[in-house]
Amino acid sequence: MSEKEMNKIFARNLKGILKSKNVSQVELANKLNVSKSTISNWISGLAMPRMETVNAICDILDIDILLLIDDGNLFLSSNTEDYKARKHFYTLDNLRKALEMNLKFNSELIGWAFENENFSNSELLDIINYAEFVKNRRK
């Protein structure tokens, strides 16, 4: 992936996350001690922050770094090495954050998040029953 493509992905994700969390560019700039034009350059894809700044953004916005750098293929098949390397990311808390931010993800993420929580069969049945209840509400 080229630097330009990476900047574009970061820009799209940062913009979406700021919007979903109701954080303005000015607020983020103030918390990072950078200028608003620096944030604007990141959001327009003209520049990319240094890694320590990316980590600071994650801390400020209370997100996993993968939410900033996801190219849309983050949530891959559980058979891939990528999944195995990122398994720690698939938690109910991160699923909630992804849903709250309206991020696109592979629906298998839900299963993976549940797998990491070690629900009992009884608890999984309760979850399935609730999902059916929600689904029927749509009708």
Side-chain angles (χ1 to χ4, degrees), residues 60-133:
I60 290 165
L61 298 176
D62 188 30
I63 58 170
D64 190 287
I65 190 170
L66 294 174
L67 294 176
L68 280 175
I69 61 174
D70 172 27
D71 66 357
N73 294 314
L74 173 62
F75 306 111
L76 304 170
S77 167
S78 60
N79 297 326
T80 66
E81 289 303 313
D82 247 5
Y83 165 72
K84 292 172 187 158
R86 297 176 181 177
K87 188 170 181 168
H88 71 280
F89 179 73
Y90 303 103
T91 65
L92 291 178
D93 188 47
N94 283 337
L95 171 61
R96 178 181 295 107
K97 289 176 186 177
L99 289 170
E100 288 170 352
M101 290 184 267
N102 292 317
L103 294 180
K104 289 177 18 180
F105 60 86
N106 183 322
S107 60
E108 289 178 349
L109 169 64
I110 294 170
W112 298 334
F114 284 23
E115 177 184 315
N116 283 338
E117 295 295 325
N118 298 316
F119 287 110
S120 70
N121 285 349
S122 175
E123 291 168 326
L124 288 171
L125 187 57
D126 287 343
I127 292 165
I128 291 168
N129 288 337
Y130 186 72
E132 284 296 320
F133 167 76

Side-chain angles (χ1 to χ4, degrees), residues 4 6 9 12 18 29 31 38 45 53 55 59-60 72 92 98-99 106 126 128-129 133:
K4 186 176 180 179
M6 186 65 177
I9 290 164
R12 178 193 67 217
L18 289 176
K31 289 179 180 180
T38 298
T53 304
N55 288 330
D59 289 342
I60 290 165
L92 291 178
L99 289 170
N106 183 322
D126 287 343
I128 291 168
N129 288 337
F133 167 76

Side-chain angles (χ1 to χ4, degrees), residues 28-66:
L28 183 60
N30 289 339
K31 289 179 180 180
L32 291 171
N33 293 319
V34 299
S35 69
K36 187 208 176 280
S37 63
T38 298
I39 304 291
S40 181
N41 284 339
W42 297 341
I43 296 226
S44 62
L46 297 175
M48 178 101 169
R50 294 174 189 236
M51 198 64 208
E52 62 268 12
T53 304
V54 171
N55 288 330
I57 292 169
C58 291
D59 289 342
I60 290 165
L61 298 176
D62 188 30
I63 58 170
D64 190 287
I65 190 170
L66 294 174

